Coordinates of all heavy atoms in Angstrom, one line a residue:
Q957 N -16.9 -15.0 10.3 CA -17.9 -14.2 9.9 C -17.5 -13.0 8.9 O -18.4 -12.5 8.2 CB -18.8 -13.7 11.1 CG -19.6 -14.7 11.9 CD -18.7 -15.4 12.7 OE1 -17.6 -14.9 13.1 NE2 -19.1 -16.6 13.2
E958 N -16.3 -12.7 9.0 CA -15.8 -11.6 8.2 C -15.4 -11.9 6.8 O -15.0 -13.1 6.5 CB -14.6 -10.9 8.9 CG -14.9 -10.2 10.2 CD -13.5 -9.6 10.8 OE1 -12.6 -10.4 11.1 OE2 -13.5 -8.5 10.9
V959 N -15.6 -10.9 5.9 CA -15.2 -11.1 4.5 C -14.2 -10.1 4.1 O -14.0 -9.1 4.7 CB -16.4 -11.0 3.5 CG1 -17.4 -12.1 3.9 CG2 -17.1 -9.7 3.6
I960 N -13.3 -10.4 3.1 CA -12.3 -9.5 2.6 C -12.9 -9.0 1.3 O -13.3 -9.8 0.5 CB -11.0 -10.2 2.4 CG1 -10.0 -9.2 2.0 CG2 -11.0 -11.3 1.5 CD1 -8.5 -9.7 2.1
T961 N -12.7 -7.7 1.0 CA -13.1 -7.1 -0.3 C -12.2 -7.5 -1.4 O -11.0 -7.9 -1.1 CB -13.2 -5.6 -0.2 OG1 -11.8 -5.1 0.0 CG2 -14.1 -5.2 1.0
E962 N -12.6 -7.5 -2.6 CA -11.7 -7.7 -3.7 C -10.6 -6.7 -3.9 O -9.4 -7.1 -4.1 CB -12.6 -7.7 -5.0 CG -11.8 -7.8 -6.3 CD -11.3 -9.2 -6.6 OE1 -12.0 -10.1 -6.2 OE2 -10.3 -9.3 -7.3
E963 N -10.9 -5.5 -3.4 CA -9.8 -4.4 -3.5 C -8.7 -4.8 -2.4 O -7.4 -4.7 -2.7 CB -10.4 -3.1 -3.0 CG -9.4 -2.1 -3.0 CD -9.8 -0.6 -2.5 OE1 -11.1 -0.7 -2.3 OE2 -9.2 0.3 -2.5
D964 N -9.1 -5.3 -1.2 CA -8.1 -5.7 -0.2 C -7.3 -6.9 -0.6 O -6.2 -7.1 -0.3 CB -8.7 -5.8 1.2 CG -9.0 -4.5 1.8 OD1 -8.4 -3.4 1.4 OD2 -9.9 -4.5 2.7
F965 N -8.1 -7.8 -1.2 CA -7.4 -9.1 -1.7 C -6.3 -8.8 -2.8 O -5.3 -9.4 -2.6 CB -8.4 -10.1 -2.2 CG -8.1 -11.4 -2.5 CD1 -7.9 -12.4 -1.5 CD2 -7.6 -11.9 -3.8 CE1 -7.4 -13.6 -1.8 CE2 -7.1 -13.0 -4.1 CZ -7.0 -14.0 -3.0
Q966 N -6.7 -7.9 -3.6 CA -5.8 -7.6 -4.8 C -4.6 -6.8 -4.2 O -3.4 -6.9 -4.7 CB -6.4 -6.8 -5.9 CG -7.5 -7.6 -6.6 CD -6.9 -8.9 -7.3 OE1 -5.8 -8.7 -7.8 NE2 -7.7 -10.0 -7.3
K967 N -4.8 -6.0 -3.1 CA -3.8 -5.2 -2.4 C -2.7 -6.2 -1.9 O -1.6 -6.0 -2.0 CB -4.3 -4.3 -1.4 CG -3.3 -3.4 -0.7 CD -3.9 -2.6 0.3 CE -2.9 -1.8 1.0 NZ -3.4 -0.9 2.1
S968 N -3.2 -7.3 -1.2 CA -2.3 -8.2 -0.6 C -1.5 -8.9 -1.7 O -0.4 -9.1 -1.7 CB -3.2 -9.3 0.2 OG -2.3 -10.2 0.9
L969 N -2.2 -9.3 -2.8 CA -1.5 -9.9 -3.9 C -0.4 -9.0 -4.5 O 0.6 -9.6 -5.0 CB -2.5 -10.3 -5.1 CG -3.2 -11.8 -5.0 CD1 -4.3 -11.7 -6.1 CD2 -2.3 -12.7 -5.1
S970 N -0.7 -7.7 -4.4 CA 0.4 -6.8 -5.2 C 1.6 -6.8 -4.4 O 2.6 -6.4 -5.1 CB -0.3 -5.4 -5.1 OG -0.4 -4.8 -3.8
Y971 N 1.7 -7.3 -3.2 CA 2.9 -7.3 -2.3 C 3.7 -8.7 -2.6 O 4.8 -8.8 -2.2 CB 2.7 -7.2 -0.9 CG 2.2 -5.7 -0.5 CD1 1.0 -5.5 0.2 CD2 3.0 -4.7 -0.6 CE1 0.6 -4.2 0.4 CE2 2.7 -3.5 -0.3 CZ 1.5 -3.2 0.3 OH 1.0 -1.9 0.7
S972 N 3.0 -9.5 -3.4 CA 3.7 -10.9 -3.6 C 4.3 -10.9 -4.9 O 3.7 -10.8 -6.0 CB 2.5 -12.0 -3.5 OG 3.1 -13.3 -3.8
Q973 N 5.6 -11.2 -5.0 CA 6.4 -11.2 -6.1 C 6.1 -12.5 -6.9 O 6.0 -12.5 -8.1 CB 8.0 -11.1 -5.9 CG 8.7 -11.1 -7.2 CD 10.3 -11.0 -6.9 OE1 10.6 -11.3 -5.8 NE2 11.0 -10.7 -7.8
C974 N 5.7 -13.6 -6.2 CA 5.5 -14.8 -6.8 C 4.1 -15.0 -7.3 O 3.7 -15.9 -8.1 CB 5.8 -16.0 -5.8 SG 4.6 -16.0 -4.4
G975 N 3.2 -14.0 -7.0 CA 1.8 -13.9 -7.6 C 0.7 -14.7 -6.7 O -0.3 -14.9 -7.3
Y976 N 1.1 -15.2 -5.6 CA 0.0 -15.8 -4.8 C 0.2 -15.5 -3.3 O 1.2 -14.9 -2.9 CB 0.1 -17.3 -5.1 CG 1.4 -18.0 -4.9 CD1 1.9 -18.4 -3.7 CD2 2.2 -18.3 -6.1 CE1 3.1 -19.2 -3.6 CE2 3.4 -19.0 -5.9 CZ 3.9 -19.4 -4.6 OH 4.9 -20.1 -4.5
L977 N -0.8 -15.9 -2.6 CA -0.9 -15.8 -1.1 C -0.8 -17.1 -0.4 O -1.0 -18.1 -1.0 CB -2.2 -14.9 -0.8 CG -2.5 -13.7 -1.5 CD1 -3.9 -13.3 -1.2 CD2 -1.4 -12.6 -1.5
I978 N -0.7 -16.9 0.9 CA -0.8 -18.1 1.8 C -2.0 -17.7 2.8 O -2.0 -16.5 3.3 CB 0.4 -18.5 2.5 CG1 0.3 -19.8 3.3 CG2 1.0 -17.3 3.3 CD1 1.6 -20.4 3.9
V979 N -2.9 -18.6 3.0 CA -3.9 -18.4 4.0 C -3.7 -19.6 5.1 O -3.5 -20.8 4.7 CB -5.4 -18.5 3.4 CG1 -5.5 -19.8 2.6 CG2 -6.3 -18.3 4.5
E980 N -3.9 -19.2 6.3 CA -3.7 -20.2 7.3 C -4.5 -20.0 8.5 O -4.9 -18.7 8.8 CB -2.2 -20.4 7.7 CG -1.5 -19.2 8.2 CD 0.0 -19.3 8.3 OE1 0.5 -20.1 7.6 OE2 0.6 -18.5 9.2
E981 N -4.7 -21.0 9.3 CA -5.4 -20.8 10.6 C -4.7 -19.9 11.4 O -3.6 -20.0 11.6 CB -5.7 -22.2 11.2 CG -6.8 -23.0 10.4 CD -7.1 -24.2 11.3 OE1 -6.3 -24.9 11.9 OE2 -8.3 -24.5 11.4
F982 N -5.4 -19.0 12.2 CA -4.8 -18.0 13.1 C -4.7 -18.8 14.5 O -5.7 -19.2 15.0 CB -5.6 -16.9 13.2 CG -5.0 -15.8 14.1 CD1 -3.9 -15.0 13.8 CD2 -5.6 -15.6 15.4 CE1 -3.3 -14.2 14.7 CE2 -5.0 -14.6 16.2 CZ -3.9 -13.9 15.9
I983 N -3.4 -18.8 15.0 CA -3.2 -19.3 16.3 C -3.3 -18.3 17.4 O -2.5 -17.3 17.3 CB -1.8 -20.1 16.3 CG1 -1.6 -21.0 15.2 CG2 -1.7 -20.8 17.8 CD1 -2.7 -22.2 15.2
V984 N -4.2 -18.3 18.3 CA -4.2 -17.5 19.4 C -3.3 -17.9 20.5 O -3.3 -19.0 21.0 CB -5.7 -17.4 20.1 CG1 -5.8 -16.5 21.2 CG2 -6.7 -17.0 18.9
G985 N -2.4 -16.9 20.9 CA -1.4 -17.2 21.9 C -0.3 -16.2 22.1 O -0.4 -15.1 21.6
T986 N 0.8 -16.6 22.7 CA 1.9 -15.7 23.1 C 2.9 -15.9 22.0 O 3.3 -17.0 21.6 CB 2.4 -15.9 24.4 OG1 1.4 -15.8 25.3 CG2 3.5 -14.8 24.7
E987 N 3.4 -14.8 21.3 CA 4.5 -14.9 20.4 C 5.8 -14.7 20.9 O 6.2 -13.9 21.7 CB 4.3 -13.8 19.2 CG 5.3 -14.0 18.1 CD 4.8 -13.1 17.0 OE1 3.7 -12.6 16.9 OE2 5.6 -13.1 16.0
Y988 N 6.8 -15.6 20.4 CA 8.3 -15.6 20.8 C 9.0 -15.5 19.5 O 8.7 -16.0 18.5 CB 8.6 -16.8 21.6 CG 8.0 -16.9 23.0 CD1 6.7 -17.4 23.1 CD2 8.7 -16.4 24.1 CE1 6.2 -17.6 24.4 CE2 8.1 -16.5 25.4 CZ 6.8 -17.0 25.5 OH 6.3 -17.1 26.7
T989 N 10.2 -14.8 19.6 CA 11.1 -14.9 18.6 C 12.4 -15.5 19.1 O 12.8 -15.5 20.3 CB 11.6 -13.5 18.0 OG1 12.3 -12.8 19.0 CG2 10.2 -12.6 17.7
V990 N 13.1 -16.2 18.1 CA 14.4 -16.8 18.4 C 15.4 -16.3 17.4 O 15.2 -16.3 16.2 CB 14.3 -18.3 18.3 CG1 15.6 -19.0 18.5 CG2 13.2 -18.9 19.1
E991 N 16.5 -15.8 18.0 CA 17.7 -15.3 17.2 C 18.8 -16.3 17.3 O 19.2 -16.8 18.3 CB 18.2 -13.9 17.7 CG 17.1 -13.0 18.0 CD 16.2 -12.7 16.9 OE1 16.7 -12.7 15.6 OE2 15.0 -12.4 17.1
A992 N 19.4 -16.6 16.1 CA 20.4 -17.7 16.1 C 21.3 -17.4 14.9 O 21.2 -16.6 14.0 CB 19.8 -19.1 16.0
Y993 N 22.5 -18.2 14.9 CA 23.4 -18.1 13.9 C 23.8 -19.7 13.6 O 24.1 -20.4 14.4 CB 24.7 -17.4 14.1 CG 25.5 -17.1 12.9 CD1 25.2 -16.0 12.1 CD2 26.5 -18.0 12.5 CE1 25.9 -15.8 10.9 CE2 27.2 -17.9 11.3 CZ 26.8 -16.8 10.4 OH 27.6 -16.6 9.3
H994 N 23.8 -19.9 12.3 CA 24.2 -21.3 11.9 C 25.4 -21.4 11.0 O 25.5 -20.6 10.0 CB 23.0 -21.9 11.1 CG 23.2 -23.4 10.7 ND1 23.1 -24.4 11.5 CD2 23.7 -23.9 9.5 CE1 23.4 -25.6 10.9 NE2 23.8 -25.3 9.7
T995 N 26.3 -22.2 11.3 CA 27.5 -22.4 10.6 C 28.2 -23.8 10.8 O 28.1 -24.3 12.0 CB 28.6 -21.3 10.8 OG1 29.7 -21.5 9.9 CG2 29.2 -21.3 12.2
G996 N 28.8 -24.4 9.8 CA 29.5 -25.7 9.9 C 28.6 -26.7 10.6 O 29.1 -27.6 11.3
G997 N 27.3 -26.8 10.3 CA 26.4 -27.8 10.9 C 26.0 -27.6 12.2 O 25.3 -28.3 12.8
K998 N 26.3 -26.4 12.9 CA 25.9 -26.2 14.3 C 25.2 -24.9 14.3 O 25.5 -23.9 13.8 CB 27.2 -26.1 15.1 CG 27.0 -25.8 16.6 CD 28.3 -25.7 17.3 CE 28.1 -25.1 18.8 NZ 29.3 -25.0 19.5
T999 N 24.1 -24.9 15.1 CA 23.3 -23.7 15.3 C 23.5 -23.2 16.7 O 23.3 -23.9 17.6 CB 21.8 -24.0 15.1 OG1 21.5 -24.5 13.8 CG2 20.9 -22.7 15.3
T1000 N 23.9 -21.8 16.8 CA 24.0 -21.2 18.2 C 22.9 -20.2 18.4 O 22.7 -19.4 17.5 CB 25.5 -20.5 18.1 OG1 26.5 -21.4 17.9 CG2 25.7 -19.9 19.4
F1001 N 22.3 -20.4 19.4 CA 21.2 -19.6 19.8 C 21.7 -18.3 20.6 O 22.4 -18.4 21.7 CB 20.2 -20.3 20.6 CG 19.4 -21.3 19.7 CD1 20.0 -22.7 19.6 CD2 18.5 -21.0 19.1 CE1 19.6 -23.6 18.8 CE2 17.9 -22.1 18.1 CZ 18.4 -23.3 18.1
L1002 N 21.2 -17.1 20.1 CA 21.9 -15.9 20.6 C 21.0 -15.1 21.5 O 21.3 -14.2 22.3 CB 22.2 -15.0 19.4 CG 23.0 -15.6 18.3 CD1 23.2 -14.6 17.1 CD2 24.4 -15.9 18.9

Side-chain angles (χ1 to χ4, degrees):
Q957 291 77 25
E958 291 179 294
V959 297
I960 186 170
T961 65
E962 176 71 27
E963 181 181 2
D964 285 341
F965 190 84
Q966 292 302 322
K967 182 179 178 181
S968 187
L969 270 174
S970 71
Y971 289 118
S972 175
Q973 187 182 15
C974 63
Y976 52 83
L977 309 175
I978 185 169
V979 57
E980 56 191 27
E981 288 187 315
F982 181 76
I983 307 298
V984 178
T986 303
E987 185 169 349
Y988 291 85
T989 71
V990 177
E991 314 304 327
Y993 192 88
H994 181 80
T995 185
K998 179 181 177 182
T999 303
T1000 300
F1001 292 90
L1002 306 174

